[in-house]
Amino acid sequence: MAGHSVPIDFRVNPAKISNPVERKTLLQDFVPLVEPYTGPLTEVSACELPGGNHSVLYASDTMTVSMKMYTNGLVTATVEYYTDQVNTHKIANDDGRRLEKQLREKFDCSVVRVLPAIKRAPHVNPYFTSSDDRLLEYDVTEVVYEEQSEFQKVQIYHTKSFGNMLVLDELQNLSESDLPYTEGLMNKGHEDYAGKEVLILGGGDGALLWELLKDEPKFVTMIDIDDAVMKGCRQHMKSVCGDCLDKYEGDNYKVIVGDAIAHMRDYIKEGRKFDYVFGDLTDVPISPSPRGELWDFMHTIINLGTKVVKPGTGKYMTHAIGIQCEGALKMFEGLLGRLEVPVTHTCTSHYVPGFMEKWCFYQITVNA
């Protein structure tokens, strides 16, 4: 059950808005075009808005149509209704294309677009965003796991296109289709993990640990603070984590439920170094400047992480964010220049299906 909002937007000659007679004609011509979908409409209210703009509200027995008409010629209309069939649209794509053609012909529109219905407050949220805040709709069928841990809200959604998908604090994290993410983080095919000492910071979904173990490292230590993530993934994302989360210690790996920062500080005191350190934690934040709690956290993690990497030969590996977030990536690279140990870096990118965008991955070498 959900509300549906269908946006109908088009542009006309501004005179059709500013001239009262032409504006009335526009409304009289528009209403019959949408009534095949809404049923007979009755005008409920009309008013003038600030700046000479206008608003009209229509209603049928089951739907409303709200219109805004702007002095620059933009007309926005929204058809709204409530439905028990969340994924059944009363104005389908073919209907929308037909309506677009009718509007273009009737009003000689320079721009016209009818979008699919936006689902309002369904029981299972289908909407997430890209890294640069574009709206993405997923074909979600159900939530198969949910737990509010001490640290975050942990959910696993089932989607038709991507399989099960880990969602943390309402942000998509990893789906069963996202091997390209894990291989991008590993820089698969360009790094040799055989016989190496590896540290994973985060990585609670188990995907990175599972793929690394296939390359026969000497030993992998994984530290994640939230056992609820690992519990959910070992129950519902076996295709991602295999059996490596069934027990937290094996012949060549150990999973520690704890604070990665505290453990790294201990490693620094001990003088312990790793061939590879993976930062599989916070994404690069989107902000006007590299300041704030998330930037501070990221700086702390990378600053400590690079101190436990073997200089000259070892690498700190991390994901960043979508390739379109150029400002954030530039600020991240600036952060690398302010670490306490000097580093050099390379950057690669891979399309991640479950994110519906291409992401950047960094390989950071601590200078000898």
Side-chain angles (χ1 to χ4, degrees), residues 158-178:
H158 179 70
T159 72
K160 293 180 180 179
S161 294
F162 308 113
N164 286 351
M165 180 171 69
L166 176 65
V167 176
L168 301 178
D169 282 342
E170 309 295 345
L171 293 173
Q172 68 274 45
N173 210 260
L174 189 83
S175 79
E176 291 184 293
S177 298
D178 290 343

Side-chain angles (χ1 to χ4, degrees), residues 1 8 10 20 56 62-63 71 73 95 121 191 204 231 295 329 354:
M1 296 180 288
I8 302 173
F10 55 101
V56 182
T62 58
M63 299 188 188
T71 55
D95 298 325
E191 307 290 339
K231 174 185 173 184
W295 280 104
L329 292 168

Side-chain angles (χ1 to χ4, degrees), residues 19 28 45 116 163 185 188 200 219 224 235 291 319-320 346-347 357:
N19 184 294
Q28 290 173 340
S45 65
L185 183 57
K188 185 78 172 179
I200 301 174
F219 201 86
D224 194 286
Q235 291 177 358
R291 295 180 178 85
H319 65 271
T346 55
C347 179
E357 59 183 348

Side-chain angles (χ1 to χ4, degrees), residues 17 23 47-55 68-72:
I17 308 300
R23 186 169 63 249
C47 65
E48 184 172 347
L49 303 174
N53 304 310
H54 294 267
S55 174
K68 304 292 189 301
M69 294 167 285
Y70 299 91
T71 55
N72 64 4

Side-chain angles (χ1 to χ4, degrees), residues 8-12 17 26 67-69 73-77:
I8 302 173
D9 305 319
F10 55 101
R11 290 186 179 275
V12 298
I17 308 300
L26 184 153
M67 295 186 67
K68 304 292 189 301
M69 294 167 285
L74 173 63
V75 180
T76 65

Side-chain angles (χ1 to χ4, degrees), residues 183-204:
E183 292 187 340
L185 183 57
M186 292 173 61
N187 201 22
K188 185 78 172 179
H190 301 280
E191 307 290 339
D192 181 10
Y193 297 103
K196 301 296 174 60
E197 291 266 6
V198 181
L199 174 64
I200 301 174
L201 310 173

Side-chain angles (χ1 to χ4, degrees), residues 285 287 289-299:
S287 61
S289 62
R291 295 180 178 85
E293 183 179 350
L294 289 177
W295 280 104
D296 292 343
F297 176 76
M298 178 172 290
H299 185 271

